[in-house]
Amino acid sequence: MYKPTIGLEIHVQLKTKTKMFCGCLNISSSEIAELRGLNVELRGKSEIKPNTNICPICTGYPGTLPTINKKAVESVLKLGLALNSEIPETSKFDRKNYFYPDLPKGYQISQYDKPLVIGGSLNNVKITRIHLEEDTARLLHTAYSLVDFNRAGIPLMELVTEPNIKSGEEAVEFARELQLILRYLEISDADMEKGQMRIEANISVSKNSEFGTKVEVKNLNSFRAVKEAIDYEIKRQSEILDEGQEVKHETRGWDENKKITVSQRLKEKAHDYRYFPEPDLPILDLTDFDLGKLKAEIPELPLQKRERFLKEFGLMPEQAEILINEPRLAEYFEKSVSELFSEISENGDKNKHVKLLFNYLTSDFKGLMNEISLSIDDIKIIPENFADLIVLIIKGEISSRLAKEILREMAASGLDPRRIIVEKGLIQISDEETIKKAVMEIIAKNPKAVIDYKKGKENSLQFLIGQAMAELKGQTSPDILRKIFLDYLSK
Ligand code: ADP
Ligand code: MG
Ligand code: ZN
């Protein structure tokens, strides 16, 4: 057995209004592409038309001058503050020189020895640095090769971790938590499928405490690919060492179809990018930034929210996680729960009530949202009304079947559930005769359940009520049914 060591390099496109060094719009966010109405079908996907969102600066014309996007710098500083990193007093941009057709200037403006953020940690993984650079153009290889400069100059943040991750699973946990934080801070949508978040994994294995030769794996387009590629490399490298051979220092790519890594290039000598300070940009004095204000803008982060939700609401970890992954839904949940508590005075069954609300929110409510394609911000049901609906269910005034119907009406009209019940005459069957008739019928049809109940099986009563409710098409209250059943069954 060998000891695996993993370090990650993660690139993230930042959600700013404009690009990193020019005034072009930042089309990494799909809303802006929509807004410009420049979408076209490209390789089966709707995308902004190539080379329509460019200017002399981001296409690298000689004689043009870059200016620093302040919002991009602030975004990286904010992330640094959220990860308890050090923000140095000064920071500087450098030119990273290399030739590739996606790099119009022949160099990329990046940061070398003075990044914006140093150190910090997340999930017990130490962070080395976070710096800022410009994204490159995109090469599209179809019948011919096309260079699309729309992406060139989009603010790109790079986070590098120390090599202290021990498995593919840990690497994915780290990357997922980072993605959540980026979304909570609203500095990136960090969608891996859209290339807004790109992960490179460095992997080595060794028998002793010294590090082995590392291999860098690129083309990881999903969290699953990150895990599979790391697991694959650990196995591949271990087998090489078992055979008494040496692991080559190289860059490999993940082949998603074959589920293997393949060699891309050997790294026998270190790449020399001839970094030097970008002469067209000033050294950044980070003491000019209001770090106190940036810190105050940081919302409750996933870790704290997770702990609080478990403690405050007694949810199961898997349940809490659903809300942690959807902060807007979590906010709605919290508002509804507080409305619910203000209406239900007995606190004994607090956790049970919260669970009921949670279940309705994540099943019926979310299902309805998907069905009518509305987001939580646009749906007409306000948390107060949603809580009222749950109160009606708890009090046994409506069946779960009727609750579904009322919920639908609430989404259509925005009215509160009681008004809908009255206006739509939804509890139609309130006359006792009809209900009694149904109860007697169900009792006659289910002699075994009746006997079971009399022997003490509470569930049998529940079953009988359910049958009668179905008979009455859900149009009565479970409480009235229960009362009438108890009447008959005690005779
Ligand atoms: P390079 O100069 O090859 O890019 P760096 O020192 O910049 O190497 O490290 C890049 C990444 O590789 C970092 O995330 C770092 O933690 C990781 N790394 C460094 N050494 C190892 C190793 N022996 N095994 C696994 N990962 C490593
Ligand atoms: Mg590197
Ligand atoms: Zn531009």
Side-chain angles (χ1 to χ4, degrees):
M1 277 298 279
Y2 300 92
K3 186 170 69 71
T5 300
I6 298 136
L8 299 176
E9 293 167 279
I10 304 182
H11 284 92
V12 176
Q13 285 183 337
L14 301 176
K15 204 159 76 169
T16 53
K17 208 172 280 161
T18 53
K19 288 189 182 178
M20 189 60 227
F21 298 115
C22 64
C24 289
L25 289 175
N26 174 356
I27 44 102
S28 73
S29 64
S30 45
E31 305 95 79
I32 290 180
E34 289 284 342
L35 208 76
R36 301 260 333 236
L38 290 172
N39 282 358
V40 288
E41 282 275 309
L42 250 184
R43 301 203 292 187
K45 280 190 283 180
S46 168
E47 287 182 15
I48 191 164
K49 200 170 169 209
N51 296 313
T52 51
N53 193 44
I54 57 177
C55 74
I57 296 173
C58 55
T59 44
Y61 277 49
T64 54
L65 287 175
T67 43
I68 300 170
N69 184 328
K70 189 174 175 200
K71 179 79 191 296
V73 173
E74 286 176 345
S75 298
V76 174
L77 295 180
K78 205 183 255 186
L79 178 63
L81 293 170
L83 301 176
N84 296 312
S85 311
E86 180 203 334
I87 311 291
E89 287 193 357
T90 59
S91 180
K92 146 174 99 67
F93 286 97
D94 299 276
R95 289 189 181 178
K96 180 180 181 180
N97 300 283
Y98 64 96
F99 172 79
Y100 204 65
D102 65 5
L103 200 63
K105 299 190 290 290
Y107 60 86
Q108 178 190 31
I109 306 180
S110 179
Q111 297 196 283
Y112 184 53
D113 55 344
K114 286 183 152 286
L116 285 167
V117 168
I118 301 166
S121 75
L122 174 64
N123 280 15
N124 292 321
V125 175
K126 283 209 184 88
I127 288 151
T128 313
R129 57 185 274 153
I130 313 175
H131 71 249
L132 199 50
E133 56 195 32
E134 53 182 339
D135 208 345
T136 58
R138 209 164 53 122
L139 299 177
L140 294 158
H141 304 291
T142 48
Y144 52 91
S145 285
L146 172 75
V147 187
D148 176 10
F149 289 96
N150 284 340
R151 195 180 74 175
I154 285 177
L156 198 62
M157 171 204 105
E158 179 175 350
L159 180 150
V160 183
T161 78
E162 291 289 300
N164 54 21
I165 299 171
K166 293 177 198 67
S167 68
E169 200 178 322
E170 264 184 45
V172 170
E173 276 170 23
F174 175 88
R176 276 192 190 282
E177 194 70 4
L178 177 67
Q179 183 188 52
L180 264 183
I181 292 175
L182 292 163
R183 290 177 177 172
Y184 274 48
L185 296 176
E186 293 180 33
I187 62 180
S188 176
D189 293 334
D191 187 335
M192 285 191 75
E193 259 178 47
K194 291 187 183 148
Q196 293 165 340
M197 178 166 171
R198 304 169 219 154
I199 300 175
E200 283 150 33
N202 296 271
I203 303 132
S204 67
V205 301
S206 74
K207 226 172 195 138
N208 47 40
S209 59
E210 273 166 40
F211 284 147
T213 305
K214 78 175 165 103
V215 165
E216 183 175 337
V217 182
K218 293 181 183 286
N219 297 355
L220 303 170
N221 298 323
S222 67
F223 290 122
R224 206 187 58 204
V226 171
K227 164 132 197 333
E228 289 175 345
I230 291 173
D231 290 348
Y232 177 87
E233 266 306 304
I234 292 172
K235 189 155 168 278
R236 188 187 69 87
Q237 293 178 21
S238 300
E239 283 166 8
I240 290 174
L241 296 187
D242 277 344
E243 283 164 17
Q245 288 176 316
E246 279 180 14
V247 173
K248 284 190 215 128
H249 185 200
E250 62 185 345
T251 301
R252 298 176 73 90
W254 175 243
D255 184 328
E256 183 64 53
N257 296 320
K258 297 198 185 123
K259 306 275 180 209
I260 57 169
T261 61
V262 281
S263 183
Q264 288 183 333
R265 66 187 150 94
L266 282 176
K267 278 192 169 179
E268 259 135 14
K269 37 187 182 309
H271 213 104
D272 191 352
Y273 294 113
R274 308 235 163 211
Y275 280 100
F276 65 86
E278 167 60 64
D280 292 337
L281 291 173
I283 288 177
L284 278 174
D285 183 351
L286 297 181
T287 60
D288 283 348
F289 286 79
D290 191 343
L291 297 184
K293 181 166 164 278
L294 289 178
K295 202 161 193 166
E297 284 169 9
I298 296 175
E300 181 183 36
L301 293 172
L303 181 67
Q304 285 93 44
K305 204 191 241 358
R306 198 176 277 126
E307 280 172 3
R308 186 167 64 80
F309 273 27
L310 292 179
K311 215 171 85 198
E312 222 171 285
F313 303 120
L315 294 174
M316 314 274 281
E318 314 85 78
Q319 294 177 319
E321 218 46 37
I322 293 178
L323 298 174
I324 298 304
N325 280 301
E326 283 186 74
R328 306 286 299 120
L329 190 70
E331 202 179 306
Y332 191 97
F333 169 80
E334 284 202 74
K335 280 190 191 149
S336 324
V337 168
S338 95
E339 293 288 345
L340 184 72
F341 286 167
S342 70
E343 294 217 20
I344 298 231
S345 43
E346 12 94 52
N347 278 340
D349 283 334
K350 230 174 166 173
N351 282 356
K352 210 175 111 199
H353 297 334
V354 170
K355 281 213 169 116
L356 187 75
L357 187 145
F358 173 86
N359 286 335
Y360 266 86
L361 185 67
T362 50
S363 58
D364 294 29
F365 187 99
K366 268 193 86 176
L368 186 65
M369 252 168 53
N370 288 338
E371 200 185 304
I372 57 181
S373 313
L374 280 184
S375 77
I376 191 108
D377 301 305
D378 302 320
I379 201 154
K380 279 189 184 163
I381 306 170
I382 59 169
E384 194 183 342
N385 289 347
F386 181 64
D388 281 344
L389 182 74
I390 304 300
V391 170
L392 290 173
I393 300 169
I394 291 171
K395 289 192 173 160
E397 288 183 37
I398 56 171
S399 63
S400 59
R401 185 166 166 164
L402 196 55
K404 276 197 208 330
E405 204 179 323
I406 296 172
L407 193 66
R408 204 169 279 280
E409 287 294 330
M410 287 165 73
S413 65
L415 293 176
D416 71 81
R418 281 183 200 281
R419 226 175 115 191
I420 289 171
I421 290 171
V422 173
E423 284 191 1
K424 299 254 161 190
L426 282 177
I427 300 190
Q428 289 154 352
I429 306 169
S430 50
D431 92 279
E432 293 224 350
E433 285 317 304
T434 315
I435 301 172
K436 276 183 184 160
K437 227 178 98 196
V439 166
M440 276 157 64
E441 208 171 289
I442 295 301
I443 287 177
K445 270 193 204 159
N446 299 280
K448 183 162 184 311
V450 172
I451 292 169
D452 284 350
Y453 170 71
K454 289 192 170 165
K455 279 187 191 156
K457 248 176 100 180
E458 267 301 314
N459 279 349
S460 298
L461 177 61
Q462 215 41 57
F463 167 77
L464 292 168
I465 293 173
Q467 294 290 305
M469 187 59 96
E471 178 75 26
L472 295 167
K473 301 200 165 52
Q475 289 170 333
T476 187
S477 108
D479 266 13
I480 297 178
L481 268 182
R482 169 177 290 268
K483 216 161 40 203
I484 296 176
F485 263 112
L486 287 176
D487 254 13
Y488 276 99
L489 293 175
S490 62
K491 277 177 192 161

